[in-house]
């Protein structure tokens, strides 16, 4: 089989390295493994962005039929990423601040930063500004589950809190306790 990009059923284009059998095994040579890990990291983050996935678990490499099958398995070459290799990759991503363990104090599940908290902060602020909601109080639910789909729809609360934290440091937002739970007020000016 020739090494060439492949488009999945969801329309995602897998890089040609995804057709290279050793890509799916942990490499003994540290430099080679670092390169493989870097390719897997880019692949995981770009696929997560494509499908709007926020979480990946080590068990996703074990069980077929999940959101990650298109990249964790390659039926064309009869390969799949072993859970131990995925765990190694996720640990590397956490160490480089490209993901975070969620829930904390475990290593089997991570939240992915296919946008950094700083990028989410700018996306959030731009959306609030363009929708005319500066200087109003919004609940977290207003932001992550609005009646009309937005770039923030479905955003995990952990990432939302981090994005708000970024905005707080620049005096563009303030967290507020409200009867409906948690809320935030956004201020004008950059």
């Amino acid at each position: 089989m020739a090494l060439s990009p492949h488009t999945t059923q969801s329309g995602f284009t897998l890089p040609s390295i995804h057709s290279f059998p050793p890509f799916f095994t942990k490499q003994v040579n540290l430099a080679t493994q670092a390169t493989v890990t870097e390719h897997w990291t880019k692949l995981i983050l770009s696929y997560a962005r494509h499908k709007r996935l926020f979480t990946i678990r080590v068990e996703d490499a074990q069980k077929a039929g999940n959101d990650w099958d298109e990249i964790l398995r390659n039926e064309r070459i009869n390969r799949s990423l072993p859970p131990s290799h995925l765990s190694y990759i996720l640990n590397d991503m956490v160490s480089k601040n490209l993901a975070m363990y969620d829930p904390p104090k475990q290593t089997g599940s991570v939240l992915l930063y296919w946008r950094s908290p700083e990028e989410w902060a700018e996306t959030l602020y731009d959306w609030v500004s363009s929708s005319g909601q500066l200087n109003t109080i919004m609940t977290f639910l207003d932001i992550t589950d609005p009646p009309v789909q937005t770039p923030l729809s479905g955003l995990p609360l952990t990432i939302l809190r981090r994005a708000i934290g970024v905005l707080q440091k620049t005096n563009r937002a303030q967290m507020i306790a409200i009867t409906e739970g948690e809320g935030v007020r956004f201020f004008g000016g950059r």
Side-chain angles (χ1 to χ4, degrees):
M1 168 173 272
L3 294 181
S4 61
H6 175 75
T7 302
T8 66
Q9 287 184 336
S10 71
F12 182 76
T13 302
L14 293 166
S16 57
I17 196 170
H18 195 264
S19 296
F20 188 54
F23 185 57
F24 288 86
T25 57
K26 193 165 179 199
Q27 301 299 306
V28 189
N29 181 292
L30 294 179
T32 303
Q33 181 57 44
T35 300
V36 167
T37 300
E38 183 180 324
H39 282 290
W40 269 111
T41 297
K42 288 178 184 173
L43 179 58
I44 289 168
L45 292 175
S46 61
Y47 186 75
R49 181 185 287 259
H50 170 77
K51 299 267 295 197
R52 288 194 55 84
L53 300 173
F54 293 98
T55 303
I56 186 169
R57 297 172 215 32
V58 172
E59 68 189 45
D60 291 332
Q62 296 171 229
K63 298 178 185 172
N66 62 62
D67 290 329
W68 293 96
D69 275 357
E70 287 185 324
I71 66 166
L72 297 181
R73 289 165 180 62
N74 186 335
E75 300 299 328
R76 295 174 298 125
I77 60 170
N78 196 28
R79 291 284 191 267
S80 62
L81 188 68
S84 60
H85 194 184
L86 179 58
S87 179
Y88 177 88
I89 293 163
L90 297 181
N91 183 55
D92 187 72
M93 291 174 72
V94 168
S95 74
K96 293 177 179 167
N97 205 28
L98 298 171
M100 67 174 284
Y101 290 118
D102 189 55
K105 299 182 182 174
Q106 55 78 44
T107 59
S109 177
V110 301
L111 274 178
L112 299 166
Y113 290 150
W114 43 269
R115 282 188 181 151
S116 68
E118 293 75 18
E119 291 170 319
W120 279 115
E122 294 309 314
T123 300
L124 172 59
Y125 193 81
D126 290 346
W127 175 73
V128 169
S129 298
S130 67
S131 62
Q133 299 184 76
L134 288 175
N135 298 314
T136 62
I137 298 173
M138 300 178 72
T139 67
F140 284 11
L141 193 60
D142 293 335
I143 297 168
T144 61
D145 191 23
V148 177
Q149 183 87 2
T150 75
L152 302 156
S153 295
L155 185 68
L157 295 182
T158 303
I159 295 175
L160 177 61
R161 284 186 190 96
R162 287 193 175 216
I164 291 169
V166 170
L167 294 174
Q168 284 180 301
K169 290 177 184 172
T170 58
N171 297 318
R172 293 186 283 166
Q174 175 187 18
M175 294 271 268
I176 298 171
I178 56 176
T179 55
E180 294 89 10
E182 297 174 285
V184 60
R185 177 180 297 164
F186 297 93
F187 305 108
R190 285 190 182 225

